[in-house]
Amino acid sequence: MNDNHFKYSNSVIGLPLFFVWFLWFIYWIEIKFDFDFIENGIFPRTVYGFQGVIFSPFIHADIEHLYNNSIPLLVLLAALRYFYAKQSIPVIGYGILLSGLITWIIGRDSYHIGASGLIYVLVSFVFFKGIQTKYYRLVALSLTVVIVYGGMVWYIFPKVEETISWEGHLAGLITGFVLSLIYKTPEFKKIIKYDWEHPDFNPQEDKFMQRFDENGNFVNLPVVEIEEENPTYFNSNSQVSYTIINKKNESKPEL
């Protein structure tokens, strides 16, 4: 698979916008009709709290909480959809379910809400999958994710901030790594434009490379002397060939 595998489509922008819009729509309903969806979040190791495995990513405590999750979701969902188009929907769906299930198992006795668990799923999947493929564009994407969101790793540890669900973050990180192992990607190959990019390229047979010695210094190729032969001409009207013989130092005939 070459670089043509990565193709832009309207879903690269449409999917993140729709997902984030839906989160804001849910929050608007909660404010507009004075609902309280927090109790629909994950409450670990309880039957009624198990519903949060599905609902918790769509519930936020306040507008600041929602805003802080919206920007990373827009960026990461767009990257996921563009570089991993076939895997994007399963990663989102199973990422929500599996990270929610792990949070339900290991979480503290409190309501866990918010899409931050899904954000950690996306960060983890994009990072580990890019490293596993060893393809230069996806590795570059992995490094970009580390640079931009690398500081998030501290929030998977306990007691960094009591109001943050470090269990949900840790569950998302684990889920993203597991999904990166489960979902295979094609064997990515760079388009070969030059002879030296071929794996069987032999520099000793290349005319250009022969102009350099073992130290990389430019050298002139040895001059090969070619023996000149007497030219032979052919009569176009017969099969007889005519040869011109150059005779030198012959005496001229007397007149």
Side-chain angles (χ1 to χ4, degrees), residues 12 25 59 97 107 131 171 188 193 247 251:
V12 174
F25 179 70
I59 305 170
L97 296 177
I131 300 300
F188 295 99
K193 297 181 180 179
K247 293 184 179 181
S251 60

Side-chain angles (χ1 to χ4, degrees), residues 131-189:
I131 300 300
Q132 292 166 17
T133 60
K134 300 180 181 179
Y135 182 62
Y136 74 106
R137 295 187 68 179
L138 298 181
V139 171
L141 177 64
S142 298
L143 296 178
T144 302
V145 167
V146 169
I147 293 173
V148 177
Y149 298 108
M152 295 171 56
V153 70
W154 298 111
Y155 296 101
I156 66 172
F157 299 108
K159 298 182 180 180
V160 174
E161 189 172 338
E162 292 296 332
T163 59
I164 290 179
S165 175
W166 64 268
E167 300 96 329
H169 298 169
L170 178 61
L173 187 70
I174 295 173
T175 300
F177 174 71
V178 171
L179 292 177
S180 72
L181 298 177
I182 294 175
Y183 287 100
K184 303 300 181 181
T185 54
E187 182 181 356
F188 295 99
K189 294 180 180 180

Side-chain angles (χ1 to χ4, degrees), residues 20-212:
V20 172
W21 171 84
F22 186 71
L23 297 183
W24 283 86
F25 179 70
I26 295 297
Y27 184 74
W28 176 81
I29 291 178
E30 186 176 12
I31 299 301
K32 178 70 174 178
F33 299 100
D34 196 25
F35 291 147
D36 186 4
F37 292 148
I38 292 180
E39 294 185 358
N40 296 106
I42 298 173
F43 200 94
R45 297 172 298 279
T46 62
V47 176
Y48 70 89
F50 191 76
Q51 63 178 325
V53 171
I54 298 175
F55 298 135
S56 63
F58 308 100
I59 305 170
H60 292 82
D62 51 44
I63 196 167
E64 182 181 1
H65 185 204
L66 178 57
Y67 174 78
N68 291 335
N69 284 341
S70 296
I71 303 302
L73 281 173
L74 287 172
V75 175
L76 292 169
L77 286 174
L80 179 72
R81 186 62 181 172
Y82 180 77
F83 290 99
Y84 303 97
K86 293 183 179 180
Q87 297 82 13
S88 58
I89 300 301
V91 167
I92 295 171
Y94 289 115
I96 291 174
L97 296 177
L98 185 56
S99 63
L101 178 61
I102 297 175
T103 304
W104 183 81
I105 295 173
I106 68 174
R108 289 165 289 175
D109 291 337
S110 180
Y111 288 103
H112 298 255
I113 58 174
S116 56
L118 177 60
I119 293 174
Y120 275 80
V121 171
L122 300 176
V123 169
S124 178
F125 178 85
V126 171
F127 172 74
F128 288 111
K129 197 68 210 176
I131 300 300
Q132 292 166 17
T133 60
K134 300 180 181 179
Y135 182 62
Y136 74 106
R137 295 187 68 179
L138 298 181
V139 171
L141 177 64
S142 298
L143 296 178
T144 302
V145 167
V146 169
I147 293 173
V148 177
Y149 298 108
M152 295 171 56
V153 70
W154 298 111
Y155 296 101
I156 66 172
F157 299 108
K159 298 182 180 180
V160 174
E161 189 172 338
E162 292 296 332
T163 59
I164 290 179
S165 175
W166 64 268
E167 300 96 329
H169 298 169
L170 178 61
L173 187 70
I174 295 173
T175 300
F177 174 71
V178 171
L179 292 177
S180 72
L181 298 177
I182 294 175
Y183 287 100
K184 303 300 181 181
T185 54
E187 182 181 356
F188 295 99
K189 294 180 180 180
K190 186 178 180 181
I191 299 176
I192 296 178
K193 297 181 180 179
Y194 307 101
D195 292 339
W196 51 266
E197 294 181 309
H198 289 276
D200 57 348
F201 173 73
N202 185 2
Q204 296 179 351
E205 298 178 356
D206 185 76
K207 296 297 182 182
F208 179 76
M209 296 300 296
Q210 290 175 1
R211 304 303 297 269
F212 298 89

